[in-house]
Amino acid sequence: MSLRLSVVTASFNAVGTVGRTLESIRGQGWPNLQMICIDGGSTDGTVQAIRGYGEFVDYLVSESDRGVADAINKGFRVADGDVLCWLNADDEFAPGAVAHVMELFERHPEVDVVTGGCRRVYADGSEVVTQVPAGFERRMALKNEIEQPSTFWRAAVHRRAGELDESYRLAFDWEWWNRLSRAGARWLTTPQVLSVYYFTESNLTSKAGERVIDEMYRVTKSYAAPHVADMYRFLFQSFDMRGFYDVPFPQLPPERQQTLGETLNFLYGVFGEDVVNSYNWNWASKQIRGVTWFN
C-alpha cells in the first residue's frame, strides 16, 4: 500500500484559480490521496467549482474563519494521511511532484520533511526557478529560503510541532518551519521543481507591506535572537527604506557605498558576516515604497 497523502487547500473567492489548483493535484494520479478543501465562505462560485470535482474532494466545508492559518489548521485536523502538505488555491503542483516526493519518503524513512524547487510566476509574466540553497537549516531563523507549496512532511512530525500559529497572518509558514526544526525534524531537499507558485496583485504575499515586517521581526526575535531582529529592523529603517538595498553594493554611488560599507563592517564585527548578510527584507521595503518588488 502506498503512503497516503493529505492535501489541504484553503480558498476564499478563488473561482478563477481553484480549478487550476485542483486539476494539478488530481493530475498527479496518486492512488492514495485525501483532498481537503476549506473555504472561507466564498460568494463568487468557488464552492460550486470545488463541488464540480465530485468524489475527488474528500472533505469540503465553507464557513467564515479567522484567516488562512486558521483555515489550514481546520484542514489538518481532519487529515488522516501519512504525509501532509497544503497548496493554496492559486498555486499548482508540478507534473510528477507527488510521486517523486513520496518515493523520497519511502526511500528515506529517517526523513521528516521533503522540500524542493519551485517555479515562481510573477504578475508581469516573468518566471524564475528557485532551489533550496545549501545551509538553509543554519539560516532558518534569519531568512525564509523554503518554498511553501514545494514542502511536504510526515504527520508524526506535524503532531510534534503543533498547529500553525494563527496570530500570524502572513509569515505563519516560516514560523512553522522553525518550529518543525525545533521539534527535531530531519530535512531532505530535492532539486526537482515540485510546484508553481503564482504571485499576483491580489494574493497575500503581493500585498504584505508593513505587516510582514512586523511578522518577520517576530520570527527572527523568537528563533534567532532579539538583538539580531533589532539589527535587521535598523537596516530596514535606516538603509533599505532609503533604497540602499535596491541594487548590488558595487552599483551604489561612492558616498552610499562608504556609508553602508562602514556600517556593515561594524555589524560584521558584532554579529558575523553570515548573520548580517542574511538580511532579506528588501522585497517588503520595495512593496511599501511602490517599487517592483519581485525583480
Side-chain angles (χ1 to χ4, degrees):
M1 176 74 111
S2 59
L3 289 173
R4 183 162 173 80
L5 173 66
S6 293
V7 182
V8 174
T9 291
S11 61
F12 180 69
N13 287 344
V15 68
T17 59
V18 70
R20 177 179 70 195
T21 300
L22 293 177
E23 282 294 338
S24 79
I25 300 169
R26 184 166 65 177
Q28 300 294 310
W30 190 250
N32 197 3
L33 185 143
Q34 179 190 28
M35 185 68 238
I36 301 167
C37 292
I38 308 295
D39 183 76
S42 294
T43 58
D44 68 341
T46 298
V47 174
Q48 291 82 352
I50 295 171
R51 285 181 177 146
Y53 282 82
E55 294 182 357
F56 173 70
V57 176
D58 298 281
Y59 183 89
L60 168 62
V61 64
S62 181
E63 60 188 17
S64 61
D65 55 51
R66 296 185 300 273
V68 181
D70 175 38
I72 295 169
N73 281 335
K74 288 180 184 179
F76 285 139
R77 287 176 199 140
V78 300
D80 60 16
D82 305 294
V83 176
L84 311 177
C85 68
W86 83 81
L87 190 65
N88 292 327
D90 53 358
D91 298 326
E92 302 175 40
F93 284 147
V98 169
H100 177 69
V101 167
M102 301 304 259
E103 180 186 4
L104 290 175
F105 277 119
E106 290 276 14
R107 284 179 15 216
H108 298 279
E110 78 284 1
V111 165
D112 299 300
V113 189
V114 172
T115 187
C118 176
R119 179 162 64 91
R120 290 181 164 213
V121 179
Y122 295 111
D124 65 353
S126 62
E127 299 183 8
V128 64
V129 171
T130 65
Q131 298 287 347
V132 183
F136 77 96
E137 290 182 78
R138 176 169 45 86
R139 296 183 297 272
M140 182 83 73
L142 304 176
K143 60 196 302 188
N144 186 7
E145 299 178 294
I146 299 163
E147 299 284 12
Q148 174 270 310
S150 293
T151 307
F152 303 72
W153 54 92
R154 295 188 192 272
V157 77
H158 186 106
R159 289 190 288 269
R160 292 207 309 271
E163 295 190 334
L164 302 179
D165 186 338
E166 295 172 14
S167 70
Y168 287 85
R169 303 288 291 185
L170 298 160
F172 53 83
D173 56 343
W174 183 26
E175 190 278 335
W176 203 67
W177 308 146
N178 278 277
R179 198 141 34 92
L180 279 174
S181 287
R182 185 170 282 185
R186 291 154 295 186
W187 297 73
L188 178 67
T189 63
T190 174
Q192 182 161 323
V193 172
L194 302 178
S195 69
V196 184
Y197 193 171
Y198 289 91
F199 290 78
T200 65
E201 299 298 337
S202 61
N203 70 15
L204 289 176
T205 303
S206 300
K207 299 187 295 184
E210 295 187 22
R211 177 158 193 159
V212 78
I213 292 298
D214 293 334
E215 294 194 2
M216 290 192 294
Y217 176 88
R218 282 178 61 195
V219 173
T220 301
K221 182 177 181 179
S222 298
Y223 293 97
H227 57 278
V228 173
D230 290 335
M231 182 264 291
Y232 282 2
R233 178 158 273 174
F234 164 74
L235 289 175
F236 175 77
Q237 294 172 338
S238 301
F239 293 97
D240 204 341
M241 286 296 289
R242 295 166 58 198
F244 278 76
Y245 279 87
D246 290 357
V247 297
F249 184 85
Q251 296 179 22
L252 289 171
E255 65 277 9
R256 287 199 155 205
Q257 286 190 27
Q258 181 177 356
T259 302
L260 180 57
E262 290 176 354
T263 302
L264 292 178
N265 283 333
F266 171 78
L267 294 175
Y268 290 160
V270 176
F271 298 96
E273 288 190 36
D274 193 44
V275 172
V276 176
N277 290 337
S278 290
Y279 171 83
N280 73 330
W281 296 6
N282 180 241
W283 63 274
S285 163
K286 286 181 175 179
Q287 280 189 351
I288 295 167
R289 291 179 288 124
V291 181
T292 303
W293 59 274
F294 48 80
N295 289 334

